[in-house]
Amino acid sequence: MKPQSGDVRHLAAPALAVSAEHLSVRELTRLRWLAIAAQAITIVAVDAVWGVALPTIPLLVILGSAAVTNVVLSRRAGLASQRLVALTLLVDVALLTGVLALTGGPANPFSVLYLVHVMLAAIVTTSRWTWAVVAMSSAGFGLLFLVSVPLPPELGGHAMDMEHRPYSAHLQGMWLAYTLVAAVIAGFVSRLSTALRQERETRSRASRLLGLATLAAGAAHEIGNPLATIRVAASELKNDLAAAGASHEILDDLNLIDAEVNRAHDVLDRMSVGAGELAGEYPVATDLAQLLTETIRQLGPLGARVDIAEIPAGQTVRWPVQAATQALSQLVRNAVEASPAGTPVQCFARIAAEGVEIEVLDCGNGMTREVLDRIGEPFFTTRPHQGTGLGMFIARSLIEHLGGRIAICSSVGKGTRVSVWLPAGVG
Ligand code: ADP
Ligand code: MG
């Protein structure tokens, strides 16, 4: 019954995760120009102040290739994708390794600059890319022990040989310390920035829902009355024309008007109901089994197709009841609507870590990757004539507002499993 293999989408993750946080290509290239200029100035200054001749030509070749990649990069516009930022950082780590290898290897104090790349990766890219930058920079630092030109003696340079064991051991310690610090930054900062990103997404979704509530309140007032008039007029017209023996085409058109007016009403209702639940309902202690059975019962004939397969008895939850009911009923409604007649929809509830896990399983048509990527966007629907595209948006916004999470696992042609986790007590 369960769709085991298939695409999974954790809806609590940011819906727009593809774009790097606030880093445009322009900012990225500007940062790189600064880094290139700083390195060029340092090389010139070392020559001017200490009179040390560094291998200028190979260094210029490396800085020149950094400049070329930056010119190529600057031709792109808009936000830099996480992949682009990560690849650029990996290229920069390689170039920095080249510069360090020519200017004293591990003894060059500027080797600490590797950390800048790790930090940027942790803030802007995913944790997988961040770990790639950590691994590559640690490998680059390690490589400096094997292939590097020692600093001239006037700058305190030594060849990495047996005569200078204590110094060499100190540098190896530095390498180890670097790897540790980079790993801590990768783990900590990237977790922190992911959490901040999610928090921002959740808040912006909640405010979009509240915006929708304001819009819905205005629309319900301004459009609701004319819609009701159209509905009454259409129904009277239909009766009169039917009595006068009007053709089927005319009656079909009137039925269409009636159906479309109902649909418009439905959209207004859902917008105001879903958004209204968010606007400050108090949590009350409720029996979980009772809440679920009531939610399903309220769905009428749709609910009759749902089988409550597992439900813990005597479990009390503290939730805003209308909001929780509204969110869960959207999920159950979707599952039933996606299932062919006669196939059951199952609902499970279990006590999970400090909360409740609720699953809605169906053997319906499932979702493609494209649908999974867009599900939960307001007004996104694959059923333009029956759907409003508000169900998942409202469900997700309400669940996140209650501090919960929602994940979807779906296989085309096999079915869908929607899992919701909600804290047992809200507020
Ligand atoms: P609506 O139901 O009004 O179309 P929703 O926001 O509830 O809008 O759902 C958006 C889309 O997600 C649906 O049109 C449908 O394609 C897809 N969907 C949601 N739930 C399921 C499900 N259980 N199985 C298959 N597709 C689903
Ligand atoms: Mg729906």
Side-chain angles (χ1 to χ4, degrees):
M1 167 90 208
K2 291 190 183 186
Q4 293 295 353
S5 63
D7 290 324
V8 180
R9 166 105 194 262
H10 289 276
L11 285 189
L16 299 171
V18 281
S19 58
E21 282 288 289
H22 299 308
L23 195 61
S24 65
V25 173
R26 245 180 92 188
E27 283 166 326
L28 184 64
T29 48
R30 201 179 298 159
L31 264 176
R32 294 186 84 225
W33 284 128
L34 263 175
I36 294 167
Q39 289 178 64
I41 291 169
T42 313
I43 292 164
V44 173
V46 165
D47 192 3
V49 176
W50 284 287
V52 177
L54 292 169
T56 318
I57 304 284
L59 282 174
L60 285 180
V61 170
I62 295 179
L63 290 186
S65 19
V68 169
T69 57
N70 221 22
V71 170
V72 174
L73 200 63
S74 62
R75 283 163 194 248
R76 304 175 73 118
L79 279 180
S81 70
Q82 291 179 320
R83 205 174 116 90
L84 182 67
V85 175
L87 291 176
T88 310
L89 288 172
L90 289 174
V91 168
D92 286 350
V93 165
L95 293 173
L96 177 63
T97 306
V99 171
L100 292 173
L102 293 167
T103 54
N108 187 330
F110 285 95
S111 52
V112 76
L113 286 181
Y114 279 127
L115 277 183
V116 175
H117 300 82
V118 173
M119 184 72 102
L120 258 177
I123 293 172
V124 174
T125 71
T126 58
S127 73
R128 203 176 293 176
W129 282 117
T130 309
W131 285 110
V133 174
V134 170
M136 180 141 165
S137 58
S138 177
F141 200 151
L143 196 68
L144 296 177
F145 288 90
L146 306 175
V147 273
S148 61
V149 180
L151 281 180
E154 56 268 41
L155 281 183
H158 299 282
M160 295 289 121
D161 58 20
M162 297 299 282
E163 280 172 44
H164 300 287
R165 253 180 176 283
Y167 185 50
S168 168
H170 165 80
L171 292 180
Q172 283 163 19
M174 292 278 290
W175 174 56
L176 200 65
Y178 164 76
T179 308
L180 279 177
V181 171
V184 168
I185 289 179
F188 199 70
V189 177
S190 62
R191 199 172 302 172
L192 201 71
S193 70
T194 307
L196 278 175
R197 219 176 295 173
Q198 286 179 359
E199 168 70 20
R200 199 165 24 225
E201 257 297 311
T202 307
R203 258 198 265 152
S204 96
R205 238 187 324 267
S207 77
R208 263 188 288 168
L209 193 61
L210 277 176
L212 200 65
T214 316
L215 184 77
H221 185 251
E222 296 296 327
I223 306 175
N225 289 343
L227 277 182
T229 314
I230 294 173
R231 191 196 257 167
V232 172
S235 148
E236 281 175 4
L237 206 57
K238 198 169 86 182
N239 291 342
D240 292 349
L241 288 175
S247 72
H248 272 300
E249 284 85 44
I250 294 180
L251 294 179
D252 284 349
D253 282 348
L254 284 166
N255 282 335
L256 189 64
I257 292 176
D258 198 35
E260 293 297 300
V261 167
N262 279 340
R263 217 173 90 72
H265 248 300
D266 194 36
V267 173
L268 285 179
D269 270 0
R270 285 213 208 176
M271 285 203 298
S272 42
V273 170
E277 310 310 2
L278 191 66
E281 189 197 350
Y282 285 106
V284 285
T286 325
D287 181 70
L288 176 66
Q290 205 179 330
L291 184 135
L292 282 179
T293 31
E294 187 55 21
T295 302
I296 290 167
R297 198 194 57 78
Q298 279 175 13
L299 285 171
L302 284 182
R305 288 175 54 189
V306 181
D307 162 29
I308 299 185
E310 184 185 321
I311 198 160
Q315 178 66 35
T316 304
V317 287
R318 255 181 67 80
W319 293 342
V321 175
Q322 297 303 319
T325 308
Q326 175 68 221
L328 295 172
S329 67
Q330 300 291 351
L331 305 180
V332 175
R333 181 188 288 271
N334 278 349
V336 175
E337 285 171 347
S339 306
T343 55
V345 166
Q346 288 187 303
C347 183
F348 295 83
R350 295 182 201 97
I351 303 305
E354 291 171 35
V356 177
E357 193 180 15
I358 297 168
E359 272 186 7
V360 181
L361 282 173
D362 69 67
C363 302
N365 45 21
M367 282 177 259
T368 60
R369 186 71 243 175
E370 290 70 39
V371 173
L372 269 179
D373 282 343
R374 296 203 52 199
I375 192 169
E377 283 177 20
F379 301 109
F380 169 72
T381 177
T382 57
R383 307 176 303 124
H385 298 296
Q386 301 96 44
T388 58
L390 285 170
M392 284 307 292
F393 171 68
I394 288 172
R396 170 158 73 154
S397 306
L398 290 173
I399 288 165
E400 287 180 359
H401 181 69
L402 302 182
R405 293 187 296 271
I406 172 166
I408 300 176
C409 174
S410 192
S411 257
V412 176
K414 288 189 183 161
T416 302
R417 176 174 61 213
V418 180
S419 316
V420 173
W421 176 87
L422 280 169
V426 171

